[in-house]
Amino acid sequence: MPNLPQTIIAMLAATSLGAVWSSCSPDFGVKGVLDRFGQISPKVLFTADGYRFGGKPFDSLGRVRRVLEAIPEIERVVVVPYLDPSPGGVASIRGCSDRAVPWDDFISDCAPGDIDFAQLPFDHPLYIMYSSGTTGLPKCMVHGAGGTLIQHFKELVLHTDLGRDDRIFYFTTCGWMMWNWLVSSLGAGATVLLYDG
C-alpha cells in the first residue's frame, strides 16, 4: 500500500481485532514482496491499484496477481483505487482470482464510529517488520503491542513533545518502521500528514 488514509484505516482495523499487521512498500518487486510475505502467509492483502513516484504512475496489479499465485493462503485481496477510480483494475485481479474486492465494497457494511480494540496481553503481536534483506532473506521481527506503544510514546510525547494541537509529517513509505512510528502519533492526539510520491 502507498502512504494513504486507507492504509492507516486497514492497520487500525486489523490490530483492533488482534490481527498482526505487516506491510511492504508498493515499489517492491514481486521477489521483494514474496521474500517477506512468503514467510508469514498472510490471510488478507490490502493493495492499491498502483502508486506514484517522481510524478509518474506505476501499476501494482500485475505484481499482485503474481503474489496471489505464489501465496495461496491469501484469502482476500482488498484493492484501493488510487490511480484509477473505476472498478476495472479490480476486475483484472479477479481474472486471476475471485478473492479480490474493491475497497468500497469491502467497507460497505461498516458504519462509522469508534473502534473497539480487543483487550489482549501486553506482549500480543502487533507488527511484523523486516530487516533489509541485504544478507539473505529479510528477517521477520515481531513487535508486541505494549512495548511498541511505550517506545513510540516515549519518543513522540517525551522526546518530541508531540500533543493534541500538533501536526506531524515524516517522509516514509509503509514498508519502513518509521511509518509505524508515525501512525502512533494518533495515540498522542496529533494530526498525521501523509504524503505518497
Side-chain angles (χ1 to χ4, degrees):
M1 286 287 285
N3 198 6
L4 303 172
Q6 291 92 332
T7 311
I8 293 176
I9 292 165
M11 185 276 292
L12 290 173
T15 59
S16 75
L17 302 171
V20 180
W21 179 264
S22 191
S23 59
C24 288
S25 179
D27 60 326
F28 282 14
V30 173
K31 182 178 179 343
V33 174
L34 293 177
D35 285 351
R36 289 157 179 82
F37 291 170
Q39 296 182 67
I40 64 171
S41 301
K43 301 291 182 213
V44 179
L45 177 67
F46 291 90
T47 185
D49 58 356
Y51 63 98
R52 299 186 198 298
F53 184 78
K56 298 177 185 173
F58 292 87
D59 177 79
S60 295
L61 298 180
R63 283 176 284 145
V64 170
R65 278 192 302 277
R66 292 170 54 201
V67 168
L68 288 175
E69 292 167 358
I71 307 177
E73 294 86 358
I74 298 175
E75 298 172 7
R76 176 69 67 200
V77 181
V78 181
V79 182
V80 175
Y82 181 46
L83 297 180
D84 181 3
S86 73
V90 175
S92 70
I93 289 185
R94 283 192 179 133
C96 170
S97 168
D98 59 357
R99 298 175 278 178
V101 62
W103 172 267
D104 287 343
D105 291 355
F106 184 71
I107 65 168
S108 65
D109 292 338
C110 302
D114 293 336
I115 297 176
D116 292 325
F117 282 84
Q119 300 302 301
L120 300 163
F122 181 85
D123 61 350
H124 185 80
L126 176 66
Y127 299 132
I128 296 176
M129 293 190 228
Y130 306 91
S131 63
S132 64
T134 55
T135 59
L137 278 179
K139 279 71 171 174
C140 297
M141 296 173 280
V142 179
H143 292 250
T148 298
L149 186 63
I150 289 173
Q151 180 64 28
H152 286 179
F153 270 35
K154 179 187 79 166
E155 294 172 7
L156 292 163
V157 177
L158 296 179
H159 294 182
T160 64
D161 195 29
L162 190 71
R164 291 192 171 281
D165 297 327
D166 296 318
R167 291 171 183 82
I168 183 167
F169 171 78
Y170 196 94
F171 180 70
T172 181
T173 69
C174 301
W176 191 27
M177 57 91 179
M178 291 307 294
W179 183 83
N180 304 71
W181 178 87
L182 177 66
V183 174
S184 289
S185 301
L186 295 171
T191 299
V192 175
L193 303 176
L194 300 178
Y195 172 77
D196 180 66

